[in-house]
């Protein structure tokens, strides 16, 4: 796949993780979209203790998310934010109702990631941001679908809510926090670690 050049005013990104939470970026307006042929997964990468949420090719799957326009000068900032990922051209795989003519999808190279293990944690502050975004745009059903359609929940949850390590952490309402905790419990995720 080639990279989206980001040179036109109708170049957009497709977000399926923290980018669904529009409070973490200034790109607007956002539009609901879905990517065919991709599955969302927690993956481990070399030399990192934490998991990354990424998209992996899967012809039978579809990911709900958002698209938003990126001005030409905004791609450098977005690439820096997504530095662990490759910016790929997802234009032909993304269904949407907008004027977008180019759509980038960020995903970790398949040969650079593995299924998570006991030493690869999921930052709870990061997951909170993702779920807050899905709840806002897709409602409780969208949140349930996020948990059910994402793989890699065998990774331990690193509870950093008291002192968030994720640089774009957001404040959740008690109701939002309860929704995250409910779904983690429902899926039987490994015991949380704190610190």
């Amino acid at each position: 796949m080639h990279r989206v050049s980001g040179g036109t005013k109708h170049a957009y990104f497709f977000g399926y993780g923290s980018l669904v939470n529009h409070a973490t970026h200034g790109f607007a307006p956002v539009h609901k979209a879905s990517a065919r042929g991709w599955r969302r997964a927690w993956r481990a990468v070399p030399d990192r203790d934490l998991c990354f949420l990424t998209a992996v090719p899967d012809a039978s799957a579809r990911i709900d998310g958002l698209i938003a326009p990126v001005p030409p000068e905004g791609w450098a900032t977005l690439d820096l934010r997504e530095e662990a990922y490759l910016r790929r051209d997802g234009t032909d795989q993304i269904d949407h109702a907008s004027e977008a003519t180019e759509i980038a999808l960020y995903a970790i190279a398949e040969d650079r990631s593995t299924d998570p293990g006991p030493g690869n944690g999921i930052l709870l502050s990061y997951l909170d941001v993702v779920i807050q975004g899905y709840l806002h745009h897709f409602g409780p059903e969208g949140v349930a679908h996020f948990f059910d359609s994402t793989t890699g929940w065998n990774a331990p949850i690193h509870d950093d809510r008291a002192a968030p390590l994720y640089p774009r952490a957001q404040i959740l309402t008690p109701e939002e926090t309860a929704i995250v905790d409910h779904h983690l419990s429902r899926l039987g995720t490994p015991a949380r670690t704190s610190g």
Side-chain angles (χ1 to χ4, degrees):
M1 285 185 259
H2 66 283
R3 288 172 59 110
V4 168
S5 66
T8 72
K9 70 176 184 175
H10 299 307
Y12 285 55
F13 70 77
F14 173 78
Y16 55 87
S18 63
L19 287 169
V20 172
N21 192 325
H22 60 270
T24 69
H25 60 80
F27 302 108
V30 296
H31 305 272
K32 290 182 182 179
S34 63
R36 288 171 278 108
W38 295 92
R39 173 175 45 84
R40 190 189 305 101
W42 293 105
R43 301 286 286 175
V45 296
D47 304 320
R48 300 286 183 102
D49 294 335
L50 299 172
C51 287
F52 287 82
L53 197 58
T54 189
V56 296
D58 184 336
S60 66
R62 176 185 292 268
I63 299 174
D64 291 331
L66 297 181
I67 61 171
V70 181
E73 66 276 10
W75 285 103
T77 300
L78 194 55
D79 286 345
L80 184 61
R81 170 180 171 152
E82 306 295 323
E83 64 181 344
Y85 300 79
L86 298 176
R87 182 178 5 135
R88 305 166 183 235
D89 182 4
T91 306
D92 294 337
Q93 294 173 292
I94 297 173
D95 298 320
H96 61 94
S98 78
E99 61 183 6
T101 56
E102 288 185 274
I103 305 175
L105 181 148
Y106 288 91
I108 298 171
E110 292 88 79
D111 61 356
R112 285 199 63 243
S113 68
T114 60
D115 289 332
N120 310 116
I122 296 170
L123 276 184
L124 189 54
S125 62
Y126 172 76
L127 179 60
D128 283 346
V129 164
V130 175
I131 299 308
Q132 186 182 55
Y134 271 91
L135 189 61
H136 179 85
H137 292 287
F138 295 93
E141 297 82 8
V143 169
H145 185 258
F146 171 92
F147 279 97
D148 292 339
S149 62
T150 302
T151 59
W153 292 111
N154 55 304
I157 305 298
H158 181 74
D159 188 350
D160 63 330
R161 278 179 176 154
L165 298 174
Y166 181 58
R168 288 170 286 278
Q170 303 293 309
I171 297 173
L172 271 65
T173 66
E175 293 79 12
E176 290 170 335
T177 300
I179 287 171
V180 176
D181 292 346
H182 163 73
H183 285 288
L184 288 175
S185 175
R186 178 176 67 83
L187 291 179
T189 55
R192 294 185 187 180
T193 61
S194 299

